[in-house]
Every structure is written in structure tokens, then in C-alpha cells.
Amino acid sequence: MTPSNPPRATGQSQAAQRQATRGAARALRRPSFVPRRVPPRPDLTWVPMSDAALPPLDLNQRPWPGRTIRVDGTPIHVRETPAENPDAETAVYLHGLAGSASNWTDLAGLLRVQMSGVAVDLPGFGRSAPPDGFRYTPAAHVRTVVRLLESRGGRPVHLLGNSFGGLVASIVAAARPDLVATLTLISPAVPDLRPSPDRLADPRFPLSYLPFVGKPVRRALAAMTPLARAEQMMRLCFARPDRVPKHRLEEAAAEIARLGRTSWAGPALDRTTTAMIRFWLTRGDRSLWRVLPRVAAPTLVIWGTEDRLMSARKALRTATALPNGRLLMLPFTGHVAQMERPVLVAKAVLGMVANPWPTSPQVEKHSAALDVGRLADTPVGGGDGWGRSGDMAL
């Protein structure tokens, strides 16, 4: 039976038959992951691309210069990309788990034609040693970013986040709409609890928790060289890891080696990951799916079709949950579109900045800013099982 030949009911009018035919066809075309309560908007995938001239992409660009600033007494390392125009607006970049400010090197270099850039190392990542007593929860990271934005004078910025950084950025935008002009979420870490081995850099990692075999597996993982770990991460995060320049792979390996010599990097990754998963399990008003409708800023959601870490099946629900969201799907792209497709991402971001789409009336239902204090902020303890092996990157 096909939707073009539905069964005929006795006495059914031709108009009713046509209506049944159209309804059956729509049902078969509708992907199973489309949220039925929120029908896709006609303009959901209309993403204007900027035609502004961009500088040539320089894959030999080293990470932009960095410095450590103090935000309410907390040292935060940032990498800054000065704009060609000293009066330009500011873009702020937030990385994912196991990432750092250097993940934004190429995109920041392209966007500097119109925006100055501030790429942040979140506490416990990159070169930002976490302060004593840091809770590692999404709410704790949100408060850090809010204070950073406030310390810059409170002028609205263009906020971009990848993966866990996208989760943090979306909460910042919901809590402090006065600080966010536009929001870009690249494969944001929305709730996704699939127990898939494809989401691990090393398939041996689950075995490390088993009795008897766990100890030798942990020894084998710990014996891996930084370069081998960097190669694993590239295979996990990139759709085309063979195209990663050699010097970028070497930079990643050097960063893994440096973090391995610290006492805080492993526990920070472990505890932040645990806190994020706990947040994913939150229900009711504290759920991320209840946070996203409170984001008033024009929001661009970018997702790679070959993302192994965050399923592309989450893209449509994420974009439709955002009252002013638009969705850009990139083929042959993995988890870090800003690194794999920096030119396309830059054109999409600049297109949104130049022509922000009208505010949807849906956001009026959630006009009250989010109270970050209502989010779960239970401190997370634990070891560094994930952190030192670098097996989870979100």
C-alpha cells in the first residue's frame, strides 16, 4: 500500500479521500525524530550566507596569542584575535570537552574581518587551571562566562559554542539575553545518552572498568603516546581526519602531553563530563529542552551529518526548540565544523550578523530570563578515568 493509493471507504467523498492521501504521504515523509509538538517552521533551514570577502584560509596559522585575565579573582586564559576595525563587535568562543581555545584558530581568523575574537579556555581546560572548590557543573561554567562578559563592559557579543561549549552558551543566552546579540551552536551537547562505542576514541575504554581485565586495559591506555591519542581524537571528531594538517596534529599531541603533566586536567574533564550527563538527566523546568525556548537571540545551529559524538538526529529538535533558531546541516562534516568547514561556518555566521532574522513571537511565552541558580549545581567528585585517556570529547 502506498500513500497515493489509500483504501477507499464506502461513501467517502472525493475531498475526504484526497485529504487522507495527503495525510498519509506527510506521515511517511516525516522523519521519526521530528518533534510532533513543534512543527518545523517554513524558514527553519533558510540560512543567509554572507558574500563579504574573507581572507584566504591559512591552515599554517598557529594558535592566536593568549594571556591570562582575572575574572572575579579566577584566572581565565583567553586567546584574542584583534579585528581589522578597532570599533568592531566582539565574538566570544567556547570550546567543548577535551578542547581548548585553539579549536577556534581558523574561524576566528576568518571572522576578524568584521569581529574581534575572544576564545576562552573554560576552567580546568586548555591553560585555565581551575580555582579551588570549582564545581565543574554547567551552571558553574555559565557563571564564569557571564562574569567574563560582564567584565568586558556588558556590551552584547556574538557568542559561539561547540559541543559542551554550545550547552554553556545556550544557558548563558537564556539567563542573560542582554549579553548576547547572536548565538551560534555547533553540534551542541544536548541530551544524548546513546551507549554507542562509536562515541569513544578508543573501543577498549569500557573494558577499563571491568574486573580482572580492567587493570591491564588501563595500563595499555596510559601507555599510549600523546601523538597516538591525538590521532584517536581526530578520528573521533573529524569526518575526514586524513585532511588534518600534520602540524595541527603535532600541536594537539603537544597539548595532550602538557595537560598530562598537570594535576588538574584529568579530574576536571572527568567531573565536568559527569556533571554534564547528570544535567542531561534533569527533568522538568531545569531540563535543557526547557532552557532552549528561553533563548531570545537569533540562533544559528550548525551540525555535521557525520557527527559521531552528537547524533545529527538531534539537530532538528534543537533548532525547533529555539524560538529564533535556524538550522544548517553540513555534509561530510563531523563534530567540529568550525575546524573542518571554517569558511562555510564563517559565511553563515556573518550572514546572520548582517541580517538577523526577525524575532519569533514564540519567545514571548518564555520572556523571563532563566535563573541559573535553579539549575542543578551539585559539586561532582570522582577520579580522572576519562580525563587522562582523553576518550570522551564533547
Side-chain angles (χ1 to χ4, degrees), residues 235-246:
R235 288 194 295 269
L236 180 67
C237 294
F238 285 73
R240 301 292 184 271
D242 55 305
R243 298 184 182 180
V244 177
K246 182 179 179 181

Side-chain angles (χ1 to χ4, degrees), residues 169-390:
S170 63
I171 300 174
V172 170
R176 292 296 302 273
D178 57 308
L179 297 177
V180 180
T182 67
L183 179 65
T184 300
L185 305 177
I186 301 174
S187 293
V190 298
D192 186 357
L193 296 169
R194 293 171 298 128
S196 171
D198 289 342
R199 305 179 75 185
L200 300 175
D202 194 311
R204 297 173 296 175
F205 177 68
L207 300 177
S208 65
Y209 287 98
L210 297 179
F212 305 113
V213 300
K215 190 172 182 178
V217 169
R218 288 194 295 272
R219 283 199 299 264
L221 291 173
M224 291 181 63
T225 66
L227 182 59
R229 294 182 184 179
E231 290 172 341
Q232 281 187 338
M233 294 301 296
M234 297 301 175
R235 288 194 295 269
L236 180 67
C237 294
F238 285 73
R240 301 292 184 271
D242 55 305
R243 298 184 182 180
V244 177
K246 182 179 179 181
H247 73 89
R248 292 280 172 85
L249 188 62
E250 293 170 348
E251 289 173 4
E255 181 74 356
I256 290 172
R258 185 189 65 79
L259 290 173
R261 294 190 292 269
T262 70
S263 61
W264 46 263
L269 177 56
D270 185 11
R271 295 171 190 175
T272 303
T273 304
T274 302
M276 180 190 69
I277 294 174
R278 287 184 179 179
F279 181 59
W280 282 356
L281 296 171
T282 303
R283 296 290 183 258
D285 290 340
R286 298 183 181 185
S287 165
L288 182 63
W289 299 120
R290 297 290 184 90
V291 172
L292 295 180
R294 294 178 179 270
V295 176
T299 304
L300 174 62
V301 178
I302 300 176
W303 223 292
T305 60
E306 297 184 39
D307 192 333
R308 292 172 55 189
L309 282 163
M310 295 304 304
S311 171
R313 292 172 64 87
K314 298 287 183 178
L316 190 57
R317 182 179 182 183
T318 302
T320 53
L322 293 154
N324 299 306
R326 300 286 176 89
L327 176 60
L328 176 62
M329 299 297 299
L330 295 180
F332 312 113
T333 306
H335 189 60
V336 285
Q338 80 275 17
M339 301 175 74
E340 277 198 280
R341 300 285 184 265
V343 174
L344 282 175
V345 173
K347 287 181 175 292
V349 170
L350 291 177
M352 172 177 60
V353 171
N355 302 287
W357 31 88
T359 301
S360 167
Q362 292 184 34
V363 79
E364 296 175 3
K365 301 177 184 178
H366 309 276
S367 57
L370 175 70
D371 180 5
V372 178
R374 297 187 61 199
L375 297 179
D377 199 20
T378 305
V380 178
D384 59 353
W386 285 352
R388 292 201 181 280
S389 60

Side-chain angles (χ1 to χ4, degrees), residues 47-126:
V47 177
M49 305 294 278
S50 172
D51 57 2
L54 296 176
L57 177 63
D58 182 8
L59 293 179
N60 293 314
Q61 173 68 50
R62 299 293 177 176
W64 295 95
R67 65 187 178 104
T68 297
I69 61 177
R70 300 196 75 83
V71 179
D72 278 356
T74 300
I76 298 294
H77 182 263
V78 297
R79 295 189 182 275
E80 296 172 306
T81 314
E84 297 176 358
N85 178 3
D87 298 324
E89 297 178 321
T90 300
V92 174
Y93 308 98
L94 306 179
H95 61 78
L97 293 184
S100 70
S102 60
N103 295 161
W104 300 95
T105 299
D106 291 336
L107 183 61
L110 295 171
L111 293 181
R112 68 191 296 256
V113 295
Q114 293 191 24
M115 292 182 273
S116 62
V118 179
V120 181
D121 279 332
L122 295 171
F125 298 90

Side-chain angles (χ1 to χ4, degrees), residues 16-50:
Q17 293 172 10
R18 287 194 297 270
Q19 185 175 2
T21 299
R22 289 192 295 268
R26 284 194 298 269
L28 290 182
R29 288 197 304 268
R30 183 189 298 121
S32 61
F33 56 89
V34 175
R36 294 175 181 270
R37 292 179 301 168
V38 185
R41 299 185 295 270
D43 58 355
L44 186 68
T45 56
W46 184 80
V47 177
M49 305 294 278
S50 172

